[in-house]
Amino acid sequence: MTAGGSEIRHGFPHLGTVRAAVTAVFRRLSYDTVSTFATSVPPVDVAFDDAEDIHLGAQRVARALVRHLRLPDARIVVSFREMEHAANVELTAGPEYFIELNERFRRHRRDIGAALAHEVMHVYLHRLDLAFPGTRDNEILTDTATAYLGAGWLLLDAYREHGPFSQKLGYLTPEEFGYVLAQRAEFFGEDPAPWFTSPQAYDAYTAGAARARQDARRPPLAAAGRLARLRYARDRRLARSAGLPGPGPETSDGYAFEGPAPLRVSFPCPACHQRIRVPVRGRFQARCGLCKTLLECDT
């Protein structure tokens, strides 16, 4: 968590890891399981009344997140203490899990749900035995999974910048959270925008959605723009004339040609980012084998 006027990083510096995390979630859970998360955690389940007992309320919100992730009904104990980070979870064999929240959340109850969402996702991924090597990449995986599986809108809504106070929870930038949430919205047809109470969160979601739309407009997808199509046609011509003995170099748009004849092209799925390999034979539909997305291609 960044707070107290500290500088908040923006943009898309972790995009490669974020995309790898989405692919990992689909591979580990399968399309069928991911599809069961079509409905996000509703705001009413994580709302916090000022008159509610802080400990009972935190337990209630934690239980709502446990139910959302279909975790076993193990008891989650939530406590508060002074600490450097926003929160911490003790990952043990169970059946109980212990989550510690920063003492400051006693004064900022509206963000307790966001902090708990990230920590409960740590429990979920631990039970799946899904992890990335290194603390940074593993935290990015946790943020990405939280957003894609329906609880990450809370983390983005906790992002605020006004006056002397700035706050962001999680390792992703606000725009990267927006990117994952926009990809989720496209996949499930569920728009999280009405749930944002932070104007800065809404702006970050809009920026992330714009970046996500670019993924669907890269060749050899048929929705690619004119200039991208011209670059693709040039690269295809060069690949044919070169008589590739195998995979060629990946271009800035993410596609790569493979020989020998018949020529093929591989490219990342705009939904789950797994690489797809198809023949170079004009316009047709291809379906991603991992996330089942139907793609209009013009190869």
Side-chain angles (χ1 to χ4, degrees):
M1 175 178 64
T2 303
S6 300
E7 183 179 355
I8 292 176
R9 194 175 186 186
H10 288 278
F12 302 93
H14 313 113
L15 202 53
T17 308
V18 168
R19 288 168 172 163
V22 173
T23 306
V25 167
F26 270 97
R27 284 178 177 163
R28 184 64 182 86
L29 293 180
S30 80
Y31 165 80
D32 290 337
T33 301
V34 171
S35 296
T36 65
F37 291 95
T39 302
S40 293
V41 175
V44 65
D45 284 0
V46 291
F48 220 112
D49 193 303
D50 287 341
E52 187 173 9
D53 178 86
I54 190 74
H55 292 94
L56 294 178
Q59 297 282 357
R60 173 183 57 79
V61 172
R63 285 196 300 271
L65 293 164
V66 166
R67 287 195 304 271
H68 175 74
L69 293 175
R70 287 85 165 173
L71 281 166
D73 192 20
R75 193 164 73 101
I76 295 186
V77 180
V78 183
S79 61
F80 298 81
R81 72 174 177 89
E82 293 288 348
M83 55 195 298
E84 179 183 357
H85 301 293
N88 180 62
V89 63
E90 180 182 333
L91 296 174
T92 65
E96 294 182 335
Y97 287 92
F98 299 89
I99 296 177
E100 294 178 317
L101 298 182
N102 193 301
E103 186 72 18
R104 68 180 301 275
F105 286 113
R106 289 182 181 273
R107 305 184 304 276
H108 300 280
R109 295 182 173 203
R110 62 185 287 190
D111 298 324
I112 285 177
L116 287 173
H118 180 93
E119 301 308 320
V120 173
M121 181 55 70
H122 269 304
V123 175
Y124 184 72
L125 296 178
H126 176 70
R127 285 179 171 266
L128 288 176
D129 195 25
L130 176 58
F132 278 180
T135 298
R136 169 190 168 276
D137 286 0
N138 198 55
E139 292 290 350
I140 290 173
L141 167 64
T142 304
D143 279 344
T144 302
T146 306
Y148 208 92
L149 298 181
W153 68 268
L154 288 161
L155 283 159
L156 180 53
D157 197 41
Y159 159 56
R160 289 183 290 279
E161 289 190 73
H162 50 80
F165 179 78
S166 297
Q167 173 182 279
K168 182 187 74 68
L169 299 183
Y171 276 61
L172 299 187
T173 69
E175 293 78 13
E176 286 168 342
F177 270 120
Y179 173 85
V180 181
L181 289 171
Q183 292 216 314
R184 171 188 162 78
E186 177 66 24
F187 189 79
F188 290 111
E190 181 193 63
D191 182 13
W195 303 332
F196 294 128
T197 61
S198 163
Q200 292 86 6
Y202 180 83
D203 291 344
Y205 174 66
T206 301
R211 185 65 186 81
R213 285 193 294 270
Q214 293 179 25
D215 290 354
R217 295 173 180 170
R218 298 194 296 180
L221 297 173
R226 179 175 176 274
L227 290 179
R229 294 297 311 170
L230 290 173
R231 288 195 303 271
Y232 178 83
R234 178 202 61 197
D235 293 338
R236 181 179 57 196
R237 184 170 60 253
L238 292 173
R240 278 178 169 153
S241 63
L244 294 171
E250 186 176 312
T251 69
S252 60
D253 279 321
Y255 58 82
F257 292 99
E258 301 180 11
L263 192 66
R264 298 178 298 278
V265 62
S266 66
F267 62 97
C269 171
C272 71
H273 310 292
Q274 174 179 253
R275 292 197 73 82
I276 299 171
R277 183 181 292 105
V278 296
V280 175
R281 60 176 176 85
R283 190 164 186 139
F284 61 94
Q285 289 183 328
R287 188 178 295 279
C288 176
L290 185 60
C291 70
K292 313 301 182 186
T293 299
L294 189 63
L295 305 170
E296 293 285 344
C297 302
D298 189 355
T299 60

